Amino acid sequence: MVRFEDVALRYGDGPEVLSGLNFRLSPGSMHFLTGPSGAGKTSLLKLLYLAHRPSRGRVEMFGEDMGTLPRSGLPRIRRRIGVIFQDFRLLPHLSALDNVALPLRIQGARLEEHLDDVRELLTWVGLGDRMDALPSTLSGGEQQRVAIARAVIGRPDLILADEPTGNVDPEIGRRLMRLFVELNRLGTTVLIATHDTTLIERFAASVLALRDGRLAVPAEAQLSPVAEEVQP
């Protein structure tokens, strides 16, 4: 599903912030992305959701070379990726329900046909009584849950989550992780960037560890089967 071959990234004329990245994410696999602040996690996520092209190296997404893909082809690839940003990026004039339904509308689906699914997902993330609320009236943790629901509602092939449990209480965090695990069991590839070592220890997923812009573990160790929660 994703293949990086000797990939590097620099911003403008600055030094490389990522270099020598070689890894692949197999369909239906689950991974954690970790590393100290400044290691390059956000930059790697930007390459994965196609916000930037690499300075050198080869990136393949869903079997296509992103280096030769015309700009007009990017929306087609991006529709297969669900992204959960740390700053949420909700549309301020839309309710929680309409924010979550937005990917379906972009795909051309009629909201009436999916309204029950949207409501069920918002209830699952603990926002059943906040569906009509605007983002400005929601707490940071509530906005994060709306962002997560929006990212997964369309059942994307790849989910990229940047600290998805960072602003929620432990119970909601466990519920959100169960959602990711269930989507993974249904075939979605999941990559979660996190500093939470207890989260990494609890779930049987492979770890991509970045340090100073390089992966700190061999590429072979980064491949994983479908993840399952480790029982205490």
Side-chain angles (χ1 to χ4, degrees), residues 4 6-12 14-21 40 42-47 51-57 213:
F4 276 44
D6 198 27
V7 169
L9 175 68
R10 71 171 75 241
Y11 296 111
E16 289 185 344
V17 296
L18 297 172
S19 58
L21 299 186
T42 298
S43 294
L44 177 51
L45 289 175
K46 287 179 178 178
L47 288 177
H52 291 294
R53 292 182 186 263
S55 305
R56 60 181 172 85

Side-chain angles (χ1 to χ4, degrees), residues 19-222:
S19 58
L21 299 186
N22 291 280
F23 68 91
R24 64 185 174 97
L25 308 181
S26 300
S29 60
M30 186 166 177
H31 309 260
F32 288 111
L33 173 63
T34 188
S37 297
K41 298 189 297 298
T42 298
S43 294
L44 177 51
L45 289 175
K46 287 179 178 178
L47 288 177
L48 286 165
Y49 62 75
L50 309 179
H52 291 294
R53 292 182 186 263
S55 305
R56 60 181 172 85
R58 180 184 177 93
V59 174
E60 289 185 9
M61 305 285 289
F62 313 112
E64 298 190 53
D65 184 353
M66 295 299 99
T68 60
L69 185 76
R71 188 170 296 276
S72 60
L74 290 177
R76 172 175 53 83
I77 300 296
R78 285 174 175 149
R79 282 194 290 270
R80 301 180 67 178
I81 306 171
V83 186
I84 300 154
F85 300 97
Q86 271 193 300
D87 56 358
F88 317 135
R89 303 192 188 183
L90 303 178
L91 296 185
H93 61 285
L94 295 183
S95 67
L97 186 146
D98 286 331
N99 263 288
V100 174
L102 188 60
L104 300 175
R105 286 179 164 164
I106 291 173
Q107 294 170 14
R110 295 180 58 188
L111 178 58
E112 295 80 8
E113 298 173 357
H114 299 276
L115 192 56
D116 288 344
D117 294 334
V118 175
R119 287 173 171 162
E120 181 180 359
L121 184 54
L122 279 167
T123 299
W124 172 256
V125 299
L127 295 174
D129 59 345
R130 303 288 277 154
M131 295 187 190
D132 296 325
L134 294 175
S136 60
T137 68
L138 299 173
S139 69
E142 289 171 333
Q143 291 183 46
Q144 186 167 28
R145 283 178 270 162
V146 173
I148 291 171
R150 181 184 60 185
V152 306
I153 187 64
R155 290 282 303 277
D157 296 307
L158 172 64
I159 291 175
L160 306 172
D162 194 358
E163 299 285 353
T165 62
N167 292 311
V168 298
D169 63 60
E171 175 54 36
I172 292 294
R174 285 191 291 270
R175 180 176 293 190
L176 294 176
M177 283 303 302
R178 288 200 298 271
L179 175 62
F180 291 134
V181 168
E182 184 57 31
L183 287 168
N184 179 237
R185 285 174 172 156
L186 293 173
T188 299
T189 301
V190 179
L191 176 67
I192 298 172
T194 183
H195 288 98
D196 188 344
T197 57
T198 60
L199 198 67
I200 295 171
E201 292 168 356
R202 182 171 181 136
F203 292 86
S206 68
V207 177
L208 282 73
L210 273 175
R211 188 174 301 276
D212 298 325
R214 292 180 173 272
L215 287 170
V217 293
E220 295 88 329
Q222 294 153 18

